[in-house]
Amino acid sequence: MKITIKALSAALFFLTGCEWVDYHPYSGDYEGDSHLTEFNLERIKRLNLGSEYTFAFITDTQRWYDDTHDAVNNINARGDIDFVLHGGDLTDFGAIQEFELMRDELCRLRMPHLTVIGNHDCQASGEHVYNIMYGRSNYALTVGNTRIIAINTSALEHDYSANIPDFNFLNNEISYCSATNQTKADSITHTIMFMHARPNDDQFNNNALELFNMKLAKLPGFSDDSPKIESEDPVMNGSRRDAFCLCGHCHSTKVLNPFYDGKLFFQCANIEKRTYLVFHIKKEGYSYEVVRY
């Protein structure tokens, strides 16, 4: 049976017109909403938050759309959350549709939200899509007396060859905080850094552990002159400071002290565990709660 070129062309036109032909999910040809990070940074700035505020931290929402939907509803219903931080792994395979579905869920939040890229988001063309949809992998903002820093720590996905974590970015943050505090004394007293993978995880560039810790020590609220603290429960043993880190990736909720010096890392479980963290930032110190919904 012969198929003429004219008939084949007509069939292809029919299929395309009926939207039976779709783009490859890993093509990277994303043309939807973009620059969401900048958009939400501006939203947070317009809130004019002072030195006391409350935020939620969620992470690893990959493929768990129903659980994420319920988390958004739960956060919206609280009435005390000023903004939300997301610790990465928005997607499972870095596919465009995954990014779009999760974007739609997170955009139901009544308050601004910020994200950091996870290792699953870097698969296939995912990093390219993330950079278009959200923007920079590393960025920061000041809220009240706190410098909030988002940093990409998914080094394994780049065979540890890329500048991850970006120490030039961290050096700029250290300089910015120092210069700001020289102009106006103690205007930045806290630091909150959020990332996907923590130090000592296989995703993190552990060859740079010592350097990373040195950079942390130069940010407001951290210090490298405190006594070593070897504790499985560092919070209960009085090591809490005005600075801390947030991470995900490991799908469990823990408080970690990876450098044994009181620099705390609050690790949150994946959203399938129906868990998120809430932090209440005060002028002096902070408190936090583990929310199970």
Side-chain angles (χ1 to χ4, degrees):
M1 180 178 179
K2 292 184 179 181
I3 300 177
T4 65
I5 293 177
K6 182 181 291 187
L8 181 59
S9 299
L12 287 174
F13 177 81
F14 173 77
L15 290 174
T16 305
C18 291
E19 296 182 355
W20 287 7
V21 176
D22 198 1
Y23 291 106
H24 193 282
Y26 299 118
S27 68
D29 294 329
Y30 172 73
E31 297 180 353
D33 294 339
S34 61
H35 307 296
L36 292 177
T37 297
E38 289 298 329
F39 173 72
N40 282 288
L41 286 171
E42 287 299 319
R43 290 180 67 196
I44 294 176
K45 289 178 183 177
R46 289 197 297 269
L47 293 176
N48 292 318
L49 297 172
S51 58
E52 299 192 355
Y53 54 91
T54 298
F55 72 89
F57 179 62
I58 64 173
T59 187
D60 295 82
T61 53
Q62 61 212 80
R63 79 176 174 268
W64 293 297
Y65 303 104
D66 290 342
D67 298 307
T68 304
H69 186 88
D70 292 345
V72 169
N73 289 344
N74 190 279
I75 292 171
N76 282 340
R78 285 180 60 104
D80 65 339
I81 305 297
D82 294 303
F83 58 89
V84 176
L85 303 181
H86 189 298
D89 275 3
L90 298 136
T91 68
D92 205 14
F93 302 105
I96 292 176
Q97 187 177 28
E98 289 184 291
F99 275 109
E100 291 174 333
L101 288 170
M102 192 52 62
R103 173 205 62 198
D104 292 347
E105 282 299 332
L106 295 177
C107 284
R108 291 196 310 109
L109 288 164
R110 294 173 183 168
M111 63 291 296
H113 68 278
L114 298 172
T115 67
V116 70
I117 195 168
N119 59 300
H120 282 263
D121 302 324
C122 294
Q123 295 189 42
S125 59
E127 187 170 14
H128 173 70
V129 176
Y130 179 91
N131 289 337
I132 296 173
M133 182 179 287
Y134 289 97
R136 297 166 288 163
S137 297
N138 305 298
Y139 60 92
L141 73 157
T142 301
V143 179
N145 299 106
T146 307
R147 190 68 173 167
I148 299 177
I149 300 172
I151 189 163
N152 177 11
T153 57
S154 298
L156 177 60
E157 300 305 318
H158 298 82
D159 297 323
Y160 306 111
S161 60
N163 188 21
I164 300 173
D166 189 335
F167 288 106
N168 291 327
F169 167 74
L170 287 178
N171 286 336
N172 289 337
E173 282 302 305
I174 292 166
S175 297
Y176 174 84
C177 292
S178 177
T180 301
N181 284 339
Q182 286 178 6
T183 302
K184 185 179 179 182
D186 297 328
S187 56
I188 301 178
T189 55
H190 298 48
T191 299
I192 297 171
M193 183 180 291
F194 72 108
M195 64 196 73
H196 183 61
R198 58 174 172 79
N200 295 321
D201 183 86
D202 60 355
Q203 275 290 332
F204 196 91
N205 181 6
N206 292 308
N207 292 320
L209 277 180
E210 184 176 353
L211 180 58
F212 185 76
N213 191 26
M214 289 172 58
K215 299 302 180 184
L216 281 183
K218 295 182 182 297
L219 289 165
F222 287 119
S223 173
D224 58 3
D225 58 1
S226 60
K228 297 295 182 181
I229 300 169
E230 298 189 22
S231 169
E232 294 182 359
D233 195 351
V235 174
M236 296 303 294
N237 281 274
S239 65
R240 184 176 298 177
R241 305 176 179 183
D242 290 338
F244 57 88
C245 296
L246 302 168
C247 58
H249 181 59
C250 293
H251 294 200
S252 61
T253 300
K254 294 180 180 179
V255 181
L256 301 160
N257 182 25
F259 300 111
Y260 297 101
D261 60 2
K263 296 185 181 73
L264 299 185
F265 284 68
F266 291 87
Q267 178 179 288
C268 186
N270 57 320
I271 208 69
E272 184 193 27
K273 306 291 195 312
R274 299 179 71 81
T275 300
Y276 64 90
L277 305 180
V278 171
F279 289 83
H280 306 279
I281 307 302
K282 307 296 182 182
K283 190 171 183 179
E284 300 293 337
Y286 62 92
S287 61
Y288 80 102
E289 56 182 298
V290 179
V291 179
R292 294 181 173 86
Y293 60 95

